[in-house]
Amino acid sequence: MHQHQAHPVRMDPTWYDALASELAAPYMRELMQYLASESKNGKVIYPGGSDYFQALNLTPLPKVKVVILGQDPYHGPGQAHGLCFSVQPGVPPPPSLVNIYKELNADLGVPPPEPLHGCLESWARQGVLMLNCVLTVEHGLPGSHAGRGWELFTDRVIALLNEHTDGTVFVLWGAYAQKKGKHIDRKRHLVLTSAHPSPLSAYRGFFGNRPFSRINAYLASLGKAPIAWELPPIKTPIKTPIKKAPKRPRQS
Protein backbone atom coordinates (compact mmCIF):
# COMPACT_ATOMS: atom_id res chain seq x y z
CA MET A 1 0.00 0.00 0.00
CA HIS A 2 1.30 3.45 -0.85
CA GLN A 3 0.03 6.63 0.74
CA HIS A 4 0.73 10.09 -0.68
CA GLN A 5 -0.38 13.31 0.92
CA ALA A 6 -2.06 14.75 -2.19
CA HIS A 7 -3.47 11.39 -3.29
CA PRO A 8 -4.40 9.08 -0.39
CA VAL A 9 -4.70 6.01 -2.61
CA ARG A 10 -4.37 2.36 -1.69
CA MET A 11 -2.16 0.92 -4.41
CA ASP A 12 0.81 -1.42 -4.62
CA PRO A 13 4.08 0.61 -4.66
CA THR A 14 5.13 -0.84 -8.03
CA TRP A 15 1.99 0.61 -9.63
CA TYR A 16 2.18 3.83 -7.65
CA ASP A 17 5.72 4.51 -8.84
CA ALA A 18 4.81 3.71 -12.46
CA LEU A 19 1.67 5.88 -12.33
CA ALA A 20 2.88 8.77 -10.13
CA SER A 21 2.86 11.33 -12.95
CA GLU A 22 -0.60 10.15 -14.03
CA LEU A 23 -1.97 10.46 -10.51
CA ALA A 24 -0.64 14.01 -10.33
CA ALA A 25 -2.09 15.02 -13.72
CA PRO A 26 -4.74 17.77 -13.73
CA TYR A 27 -7.47 15.45 -15.03
CA MET A 28 -6.94 13.06 -12.10
CA ARG A 29 -7.00 15.91 -9.59
CA GLU A 30 -10.30 17.06 -11.11
CA LEU A 31 -11.67 13.51 -11.02
CA MET A 32 -10.79 13.07 -7.33
CA GLN A 33 -12.34 16.47 -6.53
CA TYR A 34 -15.49 15.47 -8.42
CA LEU A 35 -15.79 12.19 -6.49
CA ALA A 36 -15.21 13.95 -3.17
CA SER A 37 -17.83 16.58 -4.04
CA GLU A 38 -20.39 13.97 -5.12
CA SER A 39 -19.89 12.03 -1.89
CA LYS A 40 -20.17 15.22 0.17
CA ASN A 41 -23.46 16.00 -1.58
CA GLY A 42 -24.91 12.66 -0.51
CA LYS A 43 -24.31 10.63 -3.67
CA VAL A 44 -23.49 6.98 -2.99
CA ILE A 45 -20.43 5.90 -4.98
CA TYR A 46 -19.17 2.36 -5.49
CA PRO A 47 -16.74 0.98 -4.56
CA GLY A 48 -15.67 2.71 -1.35
CA GLY A 49 -12.79 5.17 -1.73
CA SER A 50 -10.20 2.80 -0.29
CA ASP A 51 -11.08 0.26 -3.02
CA TYR A 52 -10.94 2.50 -6.13
CA PHE A 53 -7.53 1.05 -7.03
CA GLN A 54 -7.93 -2.39 -5.43
CA ALA A 55 -7.04 -4.18 -8.69
CA LEU A 56 -3.71 -2.32 -8.67
CA ASN A 57 -3.27 -3.09 -4.98
CA LEU A 58 -3.74 -6.86 -5.09
CA THR A 59 -1.80 -7.49 -8.33
CA PRO A 60 1.64 -5.79 -8.38
CA LEU A 61 2.93 -4.68 -11.79
CA PRO A 62 5.79 -7.24 -11.98
CA LYS A 63 3.39 -10.08 -11.06
CA VAL A 64 0.79 -9.44 -13.79
CA LYS A 65 0.29 -12.50 -16.00
CA VAL A 66 -3.29 -11.94 -17.18
CA VAL A 67 -5.47 -8.85 -17.61
CA ILE A 68 -9.26 -9.15 -17.62
CA LEU A 69 -10.95 -5.91 -18.65
CA GLY A 70 -14.37 -4.94 -17.35
CA GLN A 71 -16.40 -1.82 -18.08
CA ASP A 72 -17.44 -0.17 -14.81
CA PRO A 73 -18.23 -1.40 -11.28
CA TYR A 74 -21.42 -3.10 -10.17
CA HIS A 75 -23.88 -0.42 -9.07
CA GLY A 76 -25.81 -2.23 -6.32
CA PRO A 77 -25.21 -2.04 -2.57
CA GLY A 78 -22.32 -4.10 -1.21
CA GLN A 79 -21.27 -5.54 -4.58
CA ALA A 80 -18.24 -3.68 -5.97
CA HIS A 81 -14.85 -3.89 -4.29
CA GLY A 82 -12.48 -2.78 -7.01
CA LEU A 83 -12.09 -5.98 -9.06
CA CYS A 84 -14.02 -6.39 -12.31
CA PHE A 85 -16.71 -9.10 -12.31
CA SER A 86 -16.00 -9.85 -8.61
CA VAL A 87 -18.30 -9.10 -5.68
CA GLN A 88 -17.70 -8.83 -1.97
CA PRO A 89 -18.08 -11.91 0.22
CA GLY A 90 -21.67 -12.46 1.27
CA VAL A 91 -23.13 -11.10 -2.00
CA PRO A 92 -24.64 -13.49 -4.59
CA PRO A 93 -22.67 -13.76 -7.87
CA PRO A 94 -24.28 -11.47 -10.50
CA PRO A 95 -25.47 -12.98 -13.82
CA SER A 96 -22.23 -12.29 -15.75
CA LEU A 97 -20.17 -14.00 -13.06
CA VAL A 98 -22.59 -16.94 -12.98
CA ASN A 99 -21.88 -17.35 -16.71
CA ILE A 100 -18.13 -17.08 -16.11
CA TYR A 101 -18.47 -19.92 -13.60
CA LYS A 102 -20.44 -21.97 -16.16
CA GLU A 103 -17.74 -21.52 -18.80
CA LEU A 104 -14.96 -22.30 -16.30
CA ASN A 105 -16.75 -25.53 -15.41
CA ALA A 106 -17.29 -26.47 -19.06
CA ASP A 107 -13.70 -25.56 -19.97
CA LEU A 108 -11.68 -27.07 -17.11
CA GLY A 109 -14.22 -28.95 -15.00
CA VAL A 110 -13.74 -26.43 -12.18
CA PRO A 111 -17.00 -26.11 -10.24
CA PRO A 112 -18.27 -22.88 -8.66
CA PRO A 113 -16.99 -22.35 -5.11
CA GLU A 114 -18.81 -24.21 -2.37
CA PRO A 115 -20.43 -22.60 -0.49
CA LEU A 116 -21.23 -20.28 -3.37
CA HIS A 117 -19.60 -16.83 -3.43
CA GLY A 118 -18.43 -14.31 -6.02
CA CYS A 119 -15.15 -13.00 -4.58
CA LEU A 120 -12.33 -13.40 -7.12
CA GLU A 121 -9.49 -12.10 -4.96
CA SER A 122 -7.56 -15.37 -5.22
CA TRP A 123 -7.26 -14.83 -8.99
CA ALA A 124 -5.98 -11.28 -8.43
CA ARG A 125 -3.36 -12.51 -5.95
CA GLN A 126 -2.06 -14.99 -8.55
CA GLY A 127 -1.41 -12.32 -11.17
CA VAL A 128 -4.80 -11.78 -12.82
CA LEU A 129 -5.29 -8.00 -13.02
CA MET A 130 -9.06 -7.56 -12.85
CA LEU A 131 -9.36 -4.03 -14.18
CA ASN A 132 -12.49 -2.06 -14.87
CA CYS A 133 -12.00 0.68 -17.48
CA VAL A 134 -14.00 3.10 -15.30
CA LEU A 135 -13.24 2.62 -11.61
CA THR A 136 -16.29 4.19 -9.94
CA VAL A 137 -20.05 4.41 -10.43
CA GLU A 138 -23.00 6.08 -8.74
CA HIS A 139 -25.54 3.88 -7.00
CA GLY A 140 -28.10 2.52 -9.44
CA LEU A 141 -26.67 4.37 -12.46
CA PRO A 142 -24.43 2.18 -14.65
CA GLY A 143 -22.00 4.22 -16.73
CA SER A 144 -22.59 7.33 -14.62
CA HIS A 145 -18.87 8.10 -14.24
CA ALA A 146 -17.90 7.47 -17.87
CA GLY A 147 -16.09 10.38 -19.50
CA ARG A 148 -14.83 11.78 -16.19
CA GLY A 149 -11.20 10.77 -16.71
CA TRP A 150 -10.98 7.18 -15.59
CA GLU A 151 -10.65 6.00 -19.20
CA LEU A 152 -7.44 8.04 -19.63
CA PHE A 153 -6.02 6.56 -16.45
CA THR A 154 -6.80 2.95 -17.36
CA ASP A 155 -5.50 3.54 -20.91
CA ARG A 156 -2.18 4.38 -19.24
CA VAL A 157 -2.33 1.20 -17.14
CA ILE A 158 -2.85 -0.88 -20.30
CA ALA A 159 -0.10 1.00 -22.14
CA LEU A 160 2.37 0.29 -19.30
CA LEU A 161 1.58 -3.41 -19.46
CA ASN A 162 1.76 -3.44 -23.25
CA GLU A 163 5.12 -1.69 -23.34
CA HIS A 164 6.92 -3.04 -20.28
CA THR A 165 5.83 -6.68 -20.00
CA ASP A 166 6.15 -9.68 -22.29
CA GLY A 167 3.83 -12.62 -22.72
CA THR A 168 0.86 -11.09 -20.90
CA VAL A 169 -2.62 -12.43 -21.66
CA PHE A 170 -5.24 -9.75 -22.30
CA VAL A 171 -8.83 -11.00 -22.01
CA LEU A 172 -11.25 -8.73 -23.85
CA TRP A 173 -14.88 -9.77 -23.46
CA GLY A 174 -17.32 -7.67 -25.47
CA ALA A 175 -17.00 -4.73 -27.86
CA TYR A 176 -16.18 -2.16 -25.17
CA ALA A 177 -13.14 -4.07 -23.90
CA GLN A 178 -12.03 -4.94 -27.43
CA LYS A 179 -12.03 -1.27 -28.43
CA LYS A 180 -10.10 -0.43 -25.27
CA GLY A 181 -7.45 -3.02 -26.12
CA LYS A 182 -7.08 -2.31 -29.82
CA HIS A 183 -3.47 -1.01 -29.46
CA ILE A 184 -2.13 -4.06 -27.61
CA ASP A 185 0.89 -5.58 -29.40
CA ARG A 186 -0.33 -9.02 -30.45
CA LYS A 187 3.20 -10.13 -31.30
CA ARG A 188 4.35 -9.70 -27.70
CA HIS A 189 1.15 -10.70 -25.94
CA LEU A 190 -1.79 -13.08 -26.27
CA VAL A 191 -5.10 -11.29 -26.82
CA LEU A 192 -8.25 -13.37 -26.26
CA THR A 193 -11.52 -11.91 -27.48
CA SER A 194 -15.11 -13.13 -27.34
CA ALA A 195 -18.63 -11.97 -26.62
CA HIS A 196 -19.31 -10.60 -23.14
CA PRO A 197 -20.45 -13.07 -20.43
CA SER A 198 -23.62 -11.04 -19.82
CA PRO A 199 -26.82 -13.08 -20.30
CA LEU A 200 -27.61 -10.71 -23.20
CA SER A 201 -24.59 -11.88 -25.19
CA ALA A 202 -23.00 -15.00 -23.64
CA TYR A 203 -24.61 -17.32 -26.20
CA ARG A 204 -23.08 -15.30 -29.05
CA GLY A 205 -19.58 -16.65 -28.48
CA PHE A 206 -18.63 -16.45 -24.82
CA PHE A 207 -19.82 -19.95 -24.06
CA GLY A 208 -17.49 -22.45 -25.71
CA ASN A 209 -14.61 -19.98 -26.04
CA ARG A 210 -12.56 -21.80 -23.36
CA PRO A 211 -10.48 -18.81 -22.19
CA PHE A 212 -9.25 -20.40 -18.97
CA SER A 213 -7.53 -23.39 -20.55
CA ARG A 214 -6.12 -21.17 -23.32
CA ILE A 215 -4.65 -18.79 -20.74
CA ASN A 216 -2.98 -21.63 -18.84
CA ALA A 217 -1.65 -23.28 -22.01
CA TYR A 218 -0.06 -20.00 -23.08
CA LEU A 219 1.45 -19.37 -19.65
CA ALA A 220 2.85 -22.92 -19.60
CA SER A 221 4.38 -22.41 -23.06
CA LEU A 222 6.34 -19.48 -21.59
CA GLY A 223 7.41 -21.41 -18.51
CA LYS A 224 5.06 -19.46 -16.24
CA ALA A 225 2.99 -21.07 -13.52
CA PRO A 226 -0.65 -21.54 -14.55
CA ILE A 227 -3.52 -19.85 -12.74
CA ALA A 228 -5.32 -22.02 -10.17
CA TRP A 229 -8.87 -21.03 -11.17
CA GLU A 230 -10.62 -22.98 -8.42
CA LEU A 231 -11.77 -20.46 -5.84
CA PRO A 232 -11.17 -21.21 -2.17
CA PRO A 233 -14.15 -21.29 0.18
CA ILE A 234 -15.09 -18.11 2.03
CA LYS A 235 -16.72 -18.29 5.44
CA THR A 236 -19.00 -15.29 4.90
CA PRO A 237 -22.42 -16.73 3.95
CA ILE A 238 -24.49 -15.15 1.22
CA LYS A 239 -27.14 -12.96 2.78
CA THR A 240 -30.51 -14.02 1.43
CA PRO A 241 -33.77 -12.52 2.63
CA ILE A 242 -35.77 -14.82 4.87
CA LYS A 243 -39.12 -15.53 3.32
CA LYS A 244 -41.86 -15.60 5.91
CA ALA A 245 -44.66 -18.07 5.51
CA PRO A 246 -47.94 -16.40 4.54
CA LYS A 247 -50.34 -15.97 7.41
CA ARG A 248 -53.15 -18.44 7.40
CA PRO A 249 -56.65 -17.13 8.03
CA ARG A 250 -57.97 -18.02 11.43
CA GLN A 251 -60.46 -20.79 11.41
CA SER A 252 -63.47 -20.25 13.60
Side-chain angles (χ1 to χ4, degrees):
M1 188 172 86
H2 203 300
Q3 297 285 349
H4 186 277
Q5 198 167 14
H7 298 279
V9 297
R10 196 158 69 118
M11 186 185 297
D12 185 84
T14 58
W15 278 114
Y16 189 92
D17 292 343
L19 293 165
S21 60
E22 209 69 20
L23 289 164
Y27 82 88
M28 280 298 284
R29 290 179 184 273
E30 289 174 16
L31 173 57
M32 291 301 141
Q33 288 167 1
Y34 166 76
L35 294 172
S37 173
E38 289 286 276
S39 295
K40 188 177 179 181
N41 291 333
K43 300 284 181 69
V44 177
I45 293 172
Y46 303 128
S50 63
D51 284 338
Y52 290 173
F53 302 100
Q54 182 70 332
L56 303 175
N57 192 40
L58 291 183
T59 312
L61 176 54
K63 300 286 181 68
V64 176
K65 296 177 180 179
V66 181
V67 182
I68 298 178
L69 282 187
Q71 191 160 346
D72 66 346
Y74 294 122
H75 53 87
Q79 292 180 304
H81 62 140
L83 305 178
C84 70
F85 296 106
S86 179
V87 289
Q88 296 185 48
V91 177
S96 290
L97 182 52
V98 169
N99 285 340
I100 289 170
Y101 286 169
K102 287 179 182 176
E103 179 61 15
L104 177 57
N105 192 27
D107 183 3
L108 288 173
V110 173
E114 182 62 45
L116 185 65
H117 68 80
C119 181
L120 307 180
E121 281 191 6
S122 75
W123 296 359
R125 294 182 189 281
Q126 293 179 76
V128 182
L129 181 66
M130 312 202 61
L131 184 70
N132 277 315
C133 299
V134 174
L135 298 185
T136 57
V137 70
E138 185 180 335
H139 168 77
L141 295 172
S144 49
H145 290 176
R148 290 280 175 182
W150 281 127
E151 295 92 340
L152 294 172
F153 180 78
T154 51
D155 278 346
R156 184 65 192 136
V157 171
I158 293 167
L160 281 168
L161 290 163
N162 185 43
E163 295 160 13
H164 299 293
T165 69
D166 286 298
T168 300
V169 186
F170 290 86
V171 181
L172 311 178
W173 290 329
Y176 184 95
Q178 287 159 29
K179 184 178 179 182
K180 182 86 169 173
K182 64 184 178 182
H183 298 302
I184 296 164
D185 185 348
R186 284 154 168 79
K187 293 178 182 176
R188 287 177 64 174
H189 308 288
L190 176 65
V191 178
L192 298 180
T193 62
S194 79
H196 193 277
S198 160
L200 299 173
S201 57
Y203 287 95
R204 297 203 296 266
F206 175 76
F207 289 136
N209 194 48
R210 306 194 66 182
F212 308 100
S213 60
R214 292 162 72 193
I215 288 167
N216 278 355
Y218 180 75
L219 294 175
S221 75
L222 299 176
K224 298 180 181 182
I227 305 300
W229 296 109
E230 189 162 354
L231 293 162
I234 286 179
K235 292 180 181 178
T236 309
I238 287 177
K239 302 179 185 73
T240 51
I242 299 170
K243 293 182 178 178
K244 294 182 179 179
K247 290 183 179 179
R248 293 182 180 179
R250 286 184 181 177
Q251 293 182 350
S252 54

